[in-house]
Amino acid sequence: MEFVFTEEQAMIAETVKGFFAEHATSERTRKAMAADGIDRDLWSAFCAELGLAGIGIAEDLGGAGLGMVELAIVAEAAGSQVAALPLLGQAMAAQAIASGGSAAQQGEWLGKLVSGEAIAVYASADALDLADGKLSGSVSFVMHGGVADLFVLGSGDSAWLVRADAAGVSVTTHTTMDQTRPMATVTLAGVAGDALADGAAALAAARQAGWVIAAAEGLGVAQASLERTVAYAKERVQFGRPIGSFQAYKHRLADMVIEIEQARSAVYWAACAVDEQSDEAAIALHSAKSFAADTAFMCAGNMIQLHGGIGFTWEHDAHLYFKRARALQSMLGAGDWHREQVATMILGAAA
């Protein structure tokens, strides 16, 4: 597949890269980490001013009418700055409602999500029990669960909308490694959920969006790790010469470049395959999520080591990238699980 951004996509990439570079600063991200994990001013500008929260939603539903490629472009730019936004969970929730919600459910929620008026997050909730139309059980690892207004919970082939302020809902927040994406446990005790009209379609759309965004964020983390390390290699001098001139150092940087270029191909192959409803979409998604997340972890780890002592300090941003990369590896299916899906698709029963 030969893939090149269209003129419009290139313009979006330039716009979002500049937006996050200017506004998702280290100072603002650290301030958000000390609060609830969201840079509220950044989120407001992201949604209301640029309209980026609706980039993967159809125009007749209030979105921008663009696809997964454009969403990946935005996610890559956000990942490159480790932006403190509820982008991943919100996009998964919005895609679920757009694909599987009734007209009433779409009308009630999508406008609020696109504008930033409300925050919704998606979570897999296979341990939920349904009795007499009421949901009970505990849902772990809910992204930004402590600040969400709406939970989209998927279980089996069904999905429900659950308001955070509904009777019987309790939320326990946790301190997690990636403080830009805090997790929570949501407990339901006889809660009246609003079942989505087509649960299977909702879950499929949420997972596709989640894997594309997580992979694209990983690509952004990896690219930024490389660029920051290259800049440091030109500035830091040892034995009278820049450390980037030493062969061993250059080899590590070259390894990062190779992995990043492969990850970039995987990410945009997956996004394009989803947009084109290609038969390759499933294998592309699993490949992109596993490869890009592993690449992010490798590059972020190298960033710390190649910065020497300063890279291990709290004052340096390298740890922000490392924590985001490690979190991406484990969420929405670990790399081993995704690779098993790829093996099964290729080898069938032999896998």
Side-chain angles (χ1 to χ4, degrees):
M1 178 184 294
E2 183 177 349
F3 183 87
V4 179
F5 284 158
T6 65
E7 184 176 338
E8 181 183 30
Q9 290 166 343
M11 183 178 67
I12 292 172
E14 182 180 356
T15 299
V16 294
K17 183 177 181 179
F19 170 76
F20 283 113
E22 179 179 357
H23 298 289
T25 61
S26 173
E27 181 182 2
R28 289 177 57 167
T29 296
R30 290 169 183 266
K31 184 178 179 180
M33 288 164 54
D36 58 14
I38 297 178
D39 182 338
R40 297 287 178 170
D41 291 337
L42 181 66
W43 182 238
S44 177
F46 181 88
C47 297
E49 295 179 20
L50 295 184
L52 294 175
I55 205 164
I57 305 298
E59 287 185 281
D60 59 352
L61 296 177
L66 300 174
M68 287 296 111
V69 171
E70 290 80 10
L71 189 57
I73 290 171
V74 172
E76 181 187 350
S80 70
Q81 294 295 128
V82 198
L85 297 177
L87 171 61
L88 178 55
Q90 176 102 333
M92 293 179 72
Q95 287 293 324
I97 296 171
S99 297
S102 65
Q105 291 166 332
Q106 293 168 349
E108 180 179 7
W109 287 107
L110 286 180
K112 295 177 182 178
L113 301 186
V114 169
S115 68
E117 179 183 347
I119 293 176
V121 294
Y122 172 88
S124 179
D126 291 332
L128 287 184
D129 294 322
L130 179 64
D132 300 324
K134 305 284 183 148
L135 297 169
S136 296
S138 182
V139 186
S140 303
F141 306 112
V142 180
M143 297 174 282
H144 289 103
V147 297
D149 302 296
L150 177 72
F151 302 112
V152 180
L153 306 178
S155 179
D157 289 328
S158 301
W160 295 272
L161 303 181
V162 175
R163 293 175 179 269
D165 59 359
V169 176
S170 61
V171 179
T172 304
T173 58
H174 305 291
T175 300
T176 48
M177 181 168 58
D178 182 5
Q179 293 165 278
T180 64
R181 185 170 283 148
M183 301 286 182
T185 297
V186 178
T187 303
L188 309 181
V191 177
D194 185 10
L196 288 174
D198 188 341
L203 297 181
R207 289 167 184 157
Q208 286 184 341
W211 290 332
V212 167
I213 294 171
E217 278 192 6
L219 174 60
V221 167
Q223 183 66 50
S225 297
L226 172 64
E227 291 173 356
R228 288 173 177 242
T229 306
V230 169
Y232 180 75
K234 295 177 180 178
E235 298 172 357
R236 182 75 167 91
V237 174
Q238 282 187 328
F239 308 109
R241 55 193 286 198
I243 60 174
S245 65
F246 294 109
Q247 189 176 48
Y249 201 105
K250 288 189 285 188
H251 284 176
R252 294 282 287 273
L253 294 177
D255 289 341
M256 292 167 71
V257 171
I258 292 170
E259 295 296 306
I260 288 170
E261 288 309 304
Q262 292 181 86
R264 188 177 308 281
S265 296
V267 168
Y268 287 103
W269 171 41
C272 188
V274 172
D275 283 343
E276 295 181 353
Q277 300 181 337
S278 168
D279 293 338
E280 297 180 332
I283 192 170
L285 286 164
H286 290 299
S287 300
K289 167 57 174 67
S290 57
F291 196 92
D294 286 349
T295 298
F297 185 70
M298 174 266 208
C299 291
N302 279 344
M303 180 185 183
I304 290 176
Q305 294 182 19
L306 294 176
H307 273 75
I310 189 64
F312 285 84
T313 66
W314 179 254
E315 289 75 19
H316 199 279
D317 288 343
H319 72 94
L320 300 180
Y321 288 89
F322 185 81
K323 291 174 181 177
R324 173 64 68 86
R326 186 64 187 90
L328 286 172
Q329 274 193 313
S330 59
M331 63 172 32
L332 301 180
D336 287 347
W337 179 81
H338 284 285
R339 285 185 284 272
E340 286 176 4
Q341 309 314 304
V342 173
T344 300
M345 293 175 194
I346 295 174
L347 301 176

